[in-house]
Amino acid sequence: MAIKAMALLSIGCLSVPAQPQKEGGLSGRRDSLKPIVVQGCPPTFVSAPGRRIVAVGDLHGDIAQARSALEMAGVLDPADNNLWIGGETVKVLVQLGDVLDRGEDEIAILSLLRSLSIQAKQEGGAIFQINGNHESMNVEGDFRYVTPEGFDECIDFLEYLDGCDSKWENAFIGWARASEIWKEKRRKSRSHWSAFDLMKRQKGVSARSFLLKPGGPLACELARHPVVLQIDDWVFCHGGLLPHHVVYGIERMNKEVSRWMSGIAHEDSEIPFVATRGYDSVVWNRLYSRDSEQIGYSSQQISVIVQETLHAIGAKTIVVGHTPQLSGANCKYNDSVWRIDVGMSSGVLNKAPEVLEIVDNQPRVIKNKSMGPSDLHVVDFV
């Protein structure tokens, strides 16, 4: 059977050839699709015609739940939980931020997503990550929500990096597999540190600060990712996009946050306020993810703000995380906002994972069991 010419997949600032596939007539198959085109570095505007998009909410350091969500999304091989599976349908995965804090496998999740991203590109798919408020907090040096195990992972990872001759790329991509061995070794040898073990705590803080300070190796990994991403008619962000954010400039915000995390910005430069600071910033805003009676706005007022934002950016729907939805992922404001943080991490609510799937602009929630009562409630969680 004839083989079509190789498509070109443009991701971030790189172009990667997609593997050739046999011809076929099914919609969404790799051989019948136009290439994914990405504008911006970090990615800001993406054209992904015909792709199946799956979006996953906040993961907060729980790699077991993260892997469960990725299996539900159909992108992770159940037999090898570090292997991307594309299948016949090309998939685009979006993770909405807050990988950091509240858990013990933060770097391992980032490593897994990076490894899967490389594999996805080879099959014509893509993974995009969004930076959330907890990513910004950690780059600022705010470690209030880091667990003792989270500090331990930073210590272990730096030792692992040293054992890899400080070859960052190899160490970072390999950590998702290696971390389980290091965790088991730590459990067997531990006199685990308590809140009063100041020397161990200081070592953990120092390791985390080195990795996540602006210009640190892990902060530079986060700098690859945007705070706002538009894929065709869908906008993805952690907290919420408002009209004044669009006026300020989405690509401008993404670049400013990236330069700050990369340590490129001047020392006297202000941390990107409109994107990451304040409760109306992109990563902190809860206007869309909390019910209107909780925030002093009517549903009609919020609907107007949503529509003004979507009209300004030329999109139809916003997808947000940030605030766990007790009754599961849901849509609001005439289906123009999807709220998909379900608090799946054991460090938050330990709820069953749920994933938003978008096929031909038609969304549906993938979960293990049907939705509960239609009356939805939201818990406020920082």
Side-chain angles (χ1 to χ4, degrees):
M1 190 173 288
I3 302 295
K4 282 199 170 185
M6 296 178 75
L8 185 66
L9 171 61
S10 301
I11 297 294
C13 300
L14 302 175
S15 295
V16 180
Q19 291 180 345
Q21 298 294 322
K22 294 183 179 181
E23 290 186 309
L26 293 178
S27 174
R29 288 182 58 161
R30 282 169 281 186
D31 54 294
S32 61
L33 295 176
K34 294 180 180 179
I36 296 174
V37 178
V38 178
Q39 298 179 33
C41 187
T44 300
F45 301 103
V46 178
S47 172
R51 267 63 174 190
R52 174 180 178 262
I53 302 171
V54 284
V56 177
D58 306 30
L59 298 175
H60 281 302
D62 190 330
I63 197 166
Q65 290 284 67
R67 285 189 167 119
S68 293
L70 295 175
E71 286 181 22
M72 288 174 60
V75 300
L76 191 67
D77 188 344
D80 181 345
N81 56 23
N82 293 283
L83 184 65
W84 170 272
I85 50 172
E88 291 298 318
T89 304
V90 176
K91 298 163 184 145
V92 173
L93 172 70
V94 183
Q95 198 284 316
L96 286 177
D98 275 11
V99 170
L100 298 185
D101 289 341
R102 305 189 186 281
E104 64 176 331
D105 294 299
E106 304 153 276
I107 305 174
I109 294 174
L110 293 172
S111 168
L112 175 63
L113 291 173
R114 181 84 137 78
S115 173
L116 293 175
S117 178
I118 294 170
Q119 298 173 53
K121 289 178 188 180
Q122 294 173 347
E123 297 196 14
I127 290 181
F128 298 99
Q129 293 173 245
I130 308 295
N131 282 322
N133 60 303
H134 283 266
E135 281 71 42
S136 296
M137 290 167 67
N138 275 266
V139 176
E140 287 186 65
D142 184 345
F143 299 156
R144 282 177 291 168
Y145 299 99
V146 182
T147 65
E149 294 81 8
F151 285 118
D152 281 343
E153 189 191 23
C154 293
I155 297 170
D156 288 349
F157 177 71
L158 282 184
E159 291 184 21
Y160 175 74
L161 176 63
D162 186 58
C164 294
D165 297 323
S166 298
K167 294 179 180 177
W168 173 262
E169 193 79 1
N170 292 342
F172 183 60
I173 293 172
W175 180 246
R177 291 183 183 273
S179 63
E180 292 298 325
I181 298 172
W182 281 75
K183 274 198 303 183
E184 184 59 29
K185 183 170 65 174
R186 190 197 316 147
R187 289 190 185 103
K188 288 180 179 179
S189 68
R190 89 166 137 213
S191 57
H192 190 66
W193 63 286
S194 69
F196 302 102
D197 190 343
L198 297 181
M199 289 185 63
K200 184 68 179 290
R201 179 176 178 82
Q202 184 58 48
K203 185 177 180 182
V205 170
S206 296
R208 196 173 186 91
S209 297
F210 169 78
L211 289 167
L212 283 160
K213 67 182 180 181
L218 201 53
C220 287
E221 286 294 331
L222 298 178
R224 295 171 176 262
H225 312 311
V227 291
V228 181
L229 179 71
Q230 181 176 354
I231 303 180
D232 299 326
D233 293 332
W234 294 76
V235 177
F236 301 88
C237 57
H238 181 69
L241 190 68
L242 300 173
H244 74 275
H245 299 145
V246 181
V247 171
Y248 187 84
I250 293 173
E251 190 166 8
R252 177 184 175 187
M253 286 190 296
N254 284 341
K255 285 183 177 180
E256 287 179 350
V257 174
S258 180
R259 286 175 60 84
W260 164 58
M261 289 183 168
S262 298
I264 296 173
H266 297 298
E267 290 184 6
D268 57 350
S269 297
E270 186 178 82
I271 294 172
F273 185 85
V274 70
T276 65
R277 302 292 290 274
Y279 283 91
D280 66 344
S281 64
V282 175
V283 301
W284 281 101
N285 174 30
R286 296 186 194 273
L287 183 67
Y288 305 147
S289 58
R290 296 174 67 182
D291 288 337
S292 57
E293 62 270 15
Q294 296 176 303
I295 53 179
Y297 285 81
S298 69
S299 292
Q300 184 177 3
Q301 287 174 310
I302 299 174
S303 292
V304 170
I305 294 171
V306 172
Q307 292 307 316
E308 183 180 345
T309 304
L310 290 170
H311 178 75
I313 196 176
K316 295 180 179 178
T317 312
I318 298 176
V319 184
V320 300
H322 192 36
T323 306
Q325 309 293 303
L326 289 183
S327 297
N330 61 86
C331 58
K332 292 280 286 186
Y333 311 115
N334 298 317
D335 298 342
S336 60
V337 175
W338 274 92
R339 316 186 298 187
I340 67 166
D341 176 16
V342 296
M344 71 178 80
S345 169
S346 58
V348 184
L349 299 177
N350 202 29
K351 299 289 285 293
E354 298 183 17
V355 172
L356 179 67
E357 177 192 66
I358 305 163
V359 178
D360 295 329
N361 266 336
Q362 298 300 311
R364 73 177 181 125
V365 177
I366 301 174
K367 50 188 167 184
N368 292 327
K369 52 187 178 181
S370 61
M371 178 82 78
S374 58
D375 293 330
L376 299 175
H377 302 280
V378 177
V379 63
D380 187 9
F381 221 90
V382 176

